[in-house]
Amino acid sequence: MSDMKVRFAPSPTGNLHVGGARTALFNWLFAKNQGAKFVLRIEDTDPTRSRDLMVKNILDSLRWLGITWDEGPFFQSERLKRHQKIATDLLEDGKAYHCFCSVELLAEKRKSSTSLGKVWKYDGTCRDLNQEQVQNMLQQKKKSVLRFKSPVRGSICFEDKVFGDIVHQMEVIEDFVLVRSDSKPTYHLGVVVDDIDMGVTHIIRGADHISNTPKQILLYRAMGKTVPVFAHLPLILGLDKTRLSKRHGASALTTYRDKGYLPESFRNFLALLGWAPDDGSEHLLDEELISQFSLKGVSKSNAVFDVDKLQWFNSQKLSILTAEKLLPYVKTELKRSGLWQTHYNSEKKVWLLKVIDLLKVRARLLSDFIDQGLPFFSDDFEIEIKAKEKFLKDESLRTLLPELAVRLKTLSQFGLEDTEVLLRAFADEKRIKAGLLINGARVLLTGKSVAPGIFDVMVLMGQNRTVNRLAKIY
Ligand code: GLU
């Protein structure tokens, strides 16, 4: 292990969405690639009523995505004393000061400044109060916040590993608040103190945090600590090129899990939201993602979230993965639908693997194993009206299919060849096209007009079920 350390620091103000998951994944890939440690820190200083549920959702989502952490989860809310202590140190060192300006006064000033077309920045009213003035106000129990004393001139420059050199002029950086009037530390203070205490060396996070970075660098410097490496990840947009939101169907990660996406394909898809391997390949196994990931490959341009592409990735992965690998996922789906039977794990396992192999090439989502697979797992399935109208409308099938059933019943071997030879010979004998029987049989056996090869279906359905279903045409 190197002494590098990254972290994922979500605020549990909502479920884990695509953007947060992409940040977590990039940190994880970086850590795995570099042998760095991965810290999980929940930044829960904004108390929301549903905090516990959100935290659970974040942890469940990370686990589903296969993201593991070496340290944590730490909860920022448990470290408030530490943040306050650092703020007091900064105050004592003259690097922070009490500000007694009321919220109303600041709102007023902000309003008049914006009405003049100026960008508001705290005007430093309390920056140069003398000791006595400060003591007086404190004694009068006047409400105050602690502000950081930012340098007035110069600029802050940092090298972002993705965006290159970024310069912010001090004129635009105000004396930002470190501790609120209710003694709660602000995000800037908490994040920097925690990153320092936890030994974080590389901060990989969304580009929406770029504007926070200069203030945080000022804090590192004020505390005499090494500034970590920063890498900001490009924004994720919807297909309409606006920032990704619920409108784009970008829902919580757990929704994708529940819809039947594989974590393998989701990882692969997420990894390509802002990163590409040198050779531009798109379908990568986890080992390849890890070995090829580098911050150099992260793009400055916004990434586009395309749910059709995700679905395509999913169908590709479903067809590539072995039935054995898919089995636990299919098992979960079967359990969820009440179709799981214990002997699927024992004497029927080989059969189940064959069914998975048959269905996986057409599956786009894990739920397709139920939608398409239901006739394999249960006799209780509907025959689609369209399929019936299309392939069972020929009157002759009313007698032909039950007759075919009788013939199939006589087979002593019920393999692919046996069933095919029998059906074709039967069609020849009746001077009809085999297709007529095949299409009709498909509808009766599966309820659908599109399904895997009919003889594969018959063999996996088994002789009894095939015969029974064909016999019961009306
Ligand atoms: N808690 C912050 C967020 O969820 C992240 C802080 C950071 O990465 O610096 O946006």
Side-chain angles (χ1 to χ4, degrees):
M1 274 238 167
S2 71
D3 50 9
M4 286 195 266
K5 209 185 257 189
V6 293
R7 49 50 160 197
F8 177 51
S11 305
T13 47
N15 291 329
L16 187 67
H17 281 71
V18 172
R22 196 269 314 254
T23 301
L25 180 67
F26 280 30
N27 274 286
W28 185 80
L29 289 173
F30 178 85
K32 292 284 164 219
N33 176 278
Q34 295 286 314
K37 282 208 167 124
F38 184 105
V39 178
L40 176 61
R41 183 175 69 234
I42 307 290
E43 304 209 320
D44 57 345
T45 47
D46 263 347
T48 50
R49 265 170 291 141
S50 46
R51 173 191 167 277
D52 291 348
L53 272 182
M54 303 305 176
V55 171
K56 183 176 177 317
N57 178 274
I58 291 171
L59 299 183
D60 284 352
S61 305
L62 292 176
R63 288 194 189 107
W64 174 70
L65 201 55
I67 290 183
T68 47
W69 47 94
D70 305 297
E71 292 174 23
F74 298 114
F75 291 87
Q76 196 164 52
S77 57
E78 291 166 10
R79 297 180 37 83
L80 300 186
K81 289 241 150 39
R82 171 78 182 147
H83 303 154
Q84 284 153 350
K85 155 89 174 69
I86 299 291
T88 314
D89 290 351
L90 289 169
L91 182 69
E92 282 168 6
D93 287 352
K95 292 172 178 164
Y97 61 90
H98 283 286
C99 168
F100 300 93
C101 296
S102 69
V103 179
E104 296 76 25
L105 177 70
L106 292 175
E108 198 54 45
K109 287 187 176 178
R110 179 192 297 268
K111 208 168 142 198
S112 49
S113 150
T114 7
S115 70
L116 294 173
K118 285 193 205 153
V119 180
W120 163 254
K121 163 182 157 177
Y122 177 63
D123 58 3
T125 307
C126 297
R127 182 174 166 121
D128 297 315
L129 295 178
N130 62 34
Q131 277 298 95
E132 210 186 313
Q133 288 169 307
V134 172
Q135 284 315 318
N136 272 340
M137 306 245 225
L138 289 177
Q139 262 161 24
Q140 289 165 31
K141 301 248 178 306
K142 265 199 102 168
K143 271 194 167 179
S144 70
V145 300
L146 274 193
R147 285 187 186 271
F148 182 73
K149 207 178 244 181
S150 301
V152 244
R153 266 175 287 283
S155 58
I156 287 276
C157 178
F158 68 96
E159 190 214 338
D160 188 282
K161 286 291 171 203
V162 174
F163 287 87
D165 286 341
I166 296 185
V167 185
H168 280 81
Q169 298 304 322
M170 281 317 306
E171 280 98 77
V172 296
I173 301 175
E174 69 172 1
D175 287 353
F176 52 96
V177 176
L178 297 175
V179 181
R180 299 194 185 89
S181 58
D182 60 1
S183 321
K184 290 254 174 70
T186 56
Y187 155 66
H188 288 302
L189 178 65
V191 84
V192 172
V193 173
D194 287 355
D195 282 336
I196 291 172
D197 286 354
M198 293 171 193
V200 173
T201 58
H202 289 66
I203 294 184
I204 304 170
R205 60 186 177 186
D208 46 337
H209 283 291
I210 289 185
S211 60
N212 293 327
T213 307
K215 293 179 185 163
Q216 295 172 8
I217 290 175
L218 288 173
L219 278 174
Y220 279 93
R221 290 190 188 156
M223 292 180 215
K225 301 293 179 189
T226 312
V227 176
V229 173
F230 285 97
H232 288 93
L233 308 174
L235 297 180
I236 305 177
L237 308 181
L239 280 175
D240 59 357
K241 301 285 153 75
T242 63
R243 210 152 157 206
L244 192 64
S245 70
K246 284 198 188 125
R247 272 183 305 120
H248 302 101
S251 13
L253 233 63
T254 38
T255 315
Y256 293 101
R257 176 196 66 191
D258 299 343
K259 276 188 185 158
Y261 288 96
L262 287 168
E264 282 86 349
S265 43
F266 210 86
R267 274 199 292 278
N268 191 163
F269 170 78
L270 267 190
L272 298 179
L273 284 181
W275 172 79
D278 287 342
D279 63 3
S281 51
E282 288 217 301
H283 290 281
L284 295 110
L285 300 170
D286 286 343
E287 307 83 83
E288 294 166 328
L289 288 176
I290 291 171
S291 67
Q292 296 185 37
F293 186 82
S294 86
L295 292 175
K296 279 205 192 81
V298 178
S299 151
K300 284 195 249 257
S301 329
N302 297 327
V304 176
F305 178 89
D306 177 356
V307 87
D308 288 341
K309 188 163 176 181
L310 169 62
Q311 202 163 88
W312 184 71
F313 263 83
N314 208 51
S315 50
Q316 294 291 309
K317 281 271 192 245
L318 281 169
S319 59
I320 292 164
L321 291 180
T322 60
E324 194 77 49
K325 196 129 197 188
L326 290 172
L327 181 60
Y329 298 121
V330 176
K331 181 175 172 179
T332 308
E333 293 295 320
L334 286 170
K335 282 193 163 168
R336 213 195 327 230
S337 317
L339 293 168
W340 177 255
Q341 297 187 31
T342 38
H343 64 293
Y344 287 167
N345 246 353
S346 43
E347 65 263 33
K348 290 281 266 187
K349 184 167 170 192
V350 175
W351 172 81
L352 179 57
L353 291 176
K354 283 187 185 158
V355 174
I356 295 176
D357 264 329
L358 191 65
L359 296 173
K360 70 178 195 179
V361 280
R362 287 166 183 272
R364 291 162 310 129
L365 297 168
L366 281 167
S367 50
D368 288 338
F369 285 96
I370 304 303
D371 298 344
Q372 308 296 320
L374 185 62
F376 289 91
F377 304 114
S378 163
D379 288 324
D380 188 12
F381 64 93
E382 304 259 309
I383 293 194
E384 285 173 5
I385 296 181
K386 269 196 195 151
K388 198 168 168 176
E389 283 171 358
K390 190 164 175 199
F391 292 124
L392 290 179
K393 68 172 186 296
D394 192 318
E395 283 293 312
S396 65
L397 288 171
R398 279 177 187 244
T399 47
L400 284 169
L401 287 171
E403 213 177 313
L404 175 65
V406 173
R407 301 274 178 107
L408 285 166
K409 199 173 177 179
T410 63
L411 282 178
S412 56
Q413 299 279 334
F414 203 74
L416 281 180
E417 232 189 282
D418 315 304
T419 46
E420 178 161 7
V421 168
L422 185 140
L423 184 141
R424 293 196 189 281
F426 182 71
D428 284 348
E429 183 192 317
K430 301 287 177 187
R431 293 175 192 283
I432 52 165
K433 282 197 177 137
L436 181 70
L437 294 172
I438 289 175
N439 288 330
R442 182 183 301 112
V443 178
L444 287 182
L445 291 178
T446 67
K448 299 185 192 306
S449 49
V450 184
I454 189 68
F455 304 108
D456 288 298
V457 170
M458 284 187 181
V459 171
L460 283 180
M461 290 282 175
Q463 192 165 14
N464 279 343
R465 274 198 296 182
T466 302
V467 167
N468 289 343
R469 285 182 191 175
L470 294 184
K472 271 195 237 148
I473 174 161
Y474 293 110

